[in-house]
Amino acid sequence: MPLRIVTDSTADLPAEIREALRIEMVPLTVHFGAESYKDVVEMGSEAFWRKLASSPHHPRTAQPSPGDFLKVYRSLAAQGDEILSIHISGKLSGTIASAQVAAQMLPDAQITLLDTRSASLGLGLVALEAARLAEQGRSASEMLPHLEAICSRMNVLFTLDTLEFLQRNGRIGKARALLGSLLEVKPILHIDPEGVVAPLDKVRGKSRTLPRTLELLQQRVPRGSRVKMAVLHTQAPEQAAEWLAAAREIYQVEEALIAPIGSVIATHVGPGAIGFAFYQA
């Protein structure tokens, strides 16, 4: 029985990668006032920033409905496929809860769910690994321990220009302690083992963010290690390339991916976000 990978749009995987590896994607929704757009499908990254600049409404997001998942699951199950559905942290979104409801509506289908306790390309890297293992003929039960181990050692570290977007959208988590204390200080945040956004450090001045982030990376994974890595960013491809080049000076980067943050995650992190998602290979 072939295994198909399903993820959600917060994985921020480029379309060409999803298509090449046959990864199904269920989109979340971005709302600007009364207007609604399916992430990626109806609103890509560039369209989001144009809309943000012109709309009088601050964006908000919504998880997929169980019906959105049911449509995808039913189609794959009808082809006789086993399904592994891999998603954003349940502490950050109700997406995996919707997936669970849909899975329960198809009791005869073989559907396995995985909460990565991560987001953006942290989730994306897990989905990538799963899709490649599926190509090798692995079943969900065979690969799940390996994927769970990757989730446990996944690191997502990022810096923001402002905490306003996290605060407005209720995703600020443990970073609330930094509110009102930043001024010229730049926060370095991470997704903690529970799958919650939390403060990690702060530096004075934007020029210090990359050097300090690299130091924090090495506290987690020793210098010279083999890693799989992605750089996530909002409207900063050149800076992202610089961050990846700097990481290559420290690690043996077996896989490297640079991708813009999609409209759903961008709703929560705002402009000026950049960071790493990586794990020891």
Side-chain angles (χ1 to χ4, degrees), residues 44-237:
S45 177
E46 292 305 315
F48 171 80
W49 294 110
R50 289 194 298 270
K51 187 68 176 178
L52 183 67
S54 63
S55 176
H57 303 286
H58 189 83
R60 55 189 177 85
T61 62
Q63 68 208 46
S65 69
D68 294 330
F69 280 105
L70 184 63
K71 182 179 179 180
V72 173
Y73 291 166
R74 184 173 283 148
S75 174
L76 295 177
Q79 300 170 42
D81 293 339
E82 182 186 7
I83 298 164
L84 176 56
S85 205
I86 303 173
H87 298 293
I88 183 174
S89 169
K91 296 289 182 69
L92 296 175
S93 171
T95 295
I96 198 165
S98 289
Q100 181 69 58
V101 172
Q104 291 171 350
M105 296 169 72
L106 294 172
D108 295 330
Q110 287 191 256
I111 304 172
T112 303
L113 302 181
L114 175 61
D115 183 341
T116 62
R117 303 184 304 280
S118 193
S120 189
L121 289 165
L123 160 59
L125 288 175
V126 179
L128 272 180
E129 180 72 3
R132 287 170 177 154
L133 291 173
E135 283 191 323
Q136 298 171 18
R138 301 280 193 92
S139 68
S141 61
E142 288 173 331
M143 70 171 73
L144 200 57
H146 172 64
L147 297 178
E148 288 174 337
I150 290 175
C151 293
S152 69
R153 64 181 189 271
M154 181 65 69
N155 298 278
V156 179
L157 281 69
F158 58 101
T159 182
L160 305 178
D161 273 351
T162 175
L163 294 175
E164 173 192 358
F165 286 71
L166 277 176
Q167 182 185 23
R168 279 195 183 190
N169 290 290
R171 300 304 196 281
I172 196 162
K174 299 170 185 175
R176 182 175 302 278
L178 294 175
L179 287 174
S181 65
L182 292 181
L183 297 176
E184 297 301 318
V185 173
K186 300 284 291 181
I188 299 174
L189 309 174
H190 73 135
I191 299 178
D192 73 9
E194 298 176 7
V196 176
V197 174
L200 193 59
D201 203 353
K202 51 189 177 181
V203 296
R204 186 167 297 280
K206 195 168 186 175
S207 64
R208 281 290 304 149
T209 56
L210 175 56
R212 181 56 182 151
T213 302
L214 293 173
E215 291 172 358
L216 294 168
L217 262 58
Q218 292 173 82
Q219 291 177 11
R220 295 169 174 232
V221 176
R223 186 184 189 95
S225 298
R226 294 182 299 111
V227 300
K228 295 189 177 184
M229 173 174 285
V231 182
L232 47 113
H233 67 90
T234 54
Q235 298 183 300

